[in-house]
Amino acid sequence: MELKTLVIIPAYNEALNIEKVVGDIQKNASNIEYIIVNDGSKDNTLEVLQKNKYNYIDSICNQGLFGAVQTGFKYALEHGYDIAIQFDGDGQHSAKYIYQLIKSIENGNDIAIGSRFVAKKKPWSARMLGSRLISFCIKCMTGKTINDPTSGFRAYNKKCILDYALDMNNPPEPDTLVYMLKKGRIIEEIQVSMNEREFGESYLNLANTIKYMSRMIISIFLIQPFRKR
Amino acid sequence: MQLSIVFLITSFFTFIFIILKIRKNGLNIDDSIIWIIWGILLLILSLFPQIPTYISDILGFMSTSNFIFSIFIFFLYILLFVQSIQISKLKEKQKELIQKLSLKEKNERDSKK
């Protein structure tokens, strides 16, 4: 039986990247359906989407990454998709790996993560320090190794779509993976390579990093273990 | 010593209460982080009462409990202010939402004619 798959692409001010991203999907994963969630962009992302007649949801206000991705999950739930794939709108991810993630879900895994560090070693850079720390925390709490917890390239099966679409405390972040592991969901990592983003800047600065890390650590150690399964 | 025990119990119950709320889907994890940090701080202060005593001596408080009260009031002030900001943002967002929906409805009606 063919599983119905939806690629969810959250886009916030991605007018310069989105054409390339959708072009990549149409070329390298042509029979897979996609939905773009325009998260109240302030640039002309919406016009680009309309001009190209892409399949998109235009969220009325800006609601942040979590809200945008969740909109996609709710759409997937309503239309009865079996697999949802989270895919960045900034061109970091390559569509050619989508089939491998789907394959992994078909093999019975609940979540498949497109990971940069399965076969390759994680470099000892300042940027990867946070990633290492989160990996270590996850290992402590669940005993499972997730090499690339911050990767935003993930595939979810139907059970997980339900979890992510309806729970207010399941943002698509590493701490939710701990919750999923505690729930007994099986996570597999697939080696992928990612590109540097071409246009626009990421949110990473010192203050945000500290905020993000403290949230992750507190959440992983003090909140996730006590949540209702 | 009694004060330490009170703190110990307070921080413990704060934590339990937060977790219960999150379990019932009544509280966002993001919004709970500050309370958990506060709980941990209380725990540290109660386990090592030398710390508040030392700091209050340096700052010239009449007694340690005065210092503790000051910290509480300061924390509550900050939190209240942050919440005011959040409420303003929410109000603004809600207004924006209603306006956009109303405009959308108007446009749809016009295009039907």
Side-chain angles (χ1 to χ4, degrees), chain A residues 115-173:
Chain A
S115 164
R116 283 162 287 182
F117 313 115
V118 182
K120 285 186 192 129
K121 270 264 181 172
K122 205 183 278 189
W124 278 100
S125 64
R127 264 184 88 168
M128 284 303 129
L129 207 66
S131 171
R132 273 173 194 282
L133 193 57
I134 294 174
S135 285
F136 175 74
C137 295
I138 293 176
K139 179 100 185 166
C140 278
M141 289 313 295
T142 63
K144 303 261 168 34
T145 307
I146 292 186
N147 292 302
D148 196 359
T150 54
S151 162
F153 190 15
R154 307 196 188 101
Y156 307 88
N157 71 357
K158 205 155 190 173
K159 269 192 289 179
C160 295
I161 293 176
L162 201 71
D163 285 331
Y164 277 80
L166 301 179
D167 195 309
M168 76 186 278
N169 278 324
N170 279 346
E173 300 281 359

Side-chain angles (χ1 to χ4, degrees), chain B residues 79-91:
Chain B
L79 209 70
L80 197 64
F81 186 66
V82 170
Q83 292 199 333
S84 294
I85 295 173
Q86 284 174 341
I87 291 173
S88 298
K89 273 192 195 152
L90 281 176
K91 272 190 197 159

Side-chain angles (χ1 to χ4, degrees), chain A residues 58 60-63 66 166-169 171 175 214-215 218-219 222-224 226-228, chain B residues 15 19 22-30 32-33 36-37 40 93 96-97 100-101 104:
Chain A
D58 184 36
I60 297 176
C61 284
N62 176 260
Q63 46 180 345
F66 177 26
L166 301 179
D167 195 309
M168 76 186 278
N169 278 324
D175 57 335
S214 54
R215 184 202 185 277
I218 289 176
S219 171
L222 294 172
I223 297 175
Q224 304 297 342
F226 303 108
R227 283 178 68 188
K228 217 180 269 175
Chain B
F15 185 68
I19 297 295
I22 291 175
R23 277 176 73 100
K24 281 187 204 146
N25 260 349
L27 183 68
N28 220 314
I29 288 178
D30 289 305
S32 70
I33 296 293
I36 288 184
I37 290 177
I40 292 172
K93 193 148 248 178
E96 200 185 325
L97 205 63
K100 283 197 174 164
L101 268 179
K104 215 169 197 159

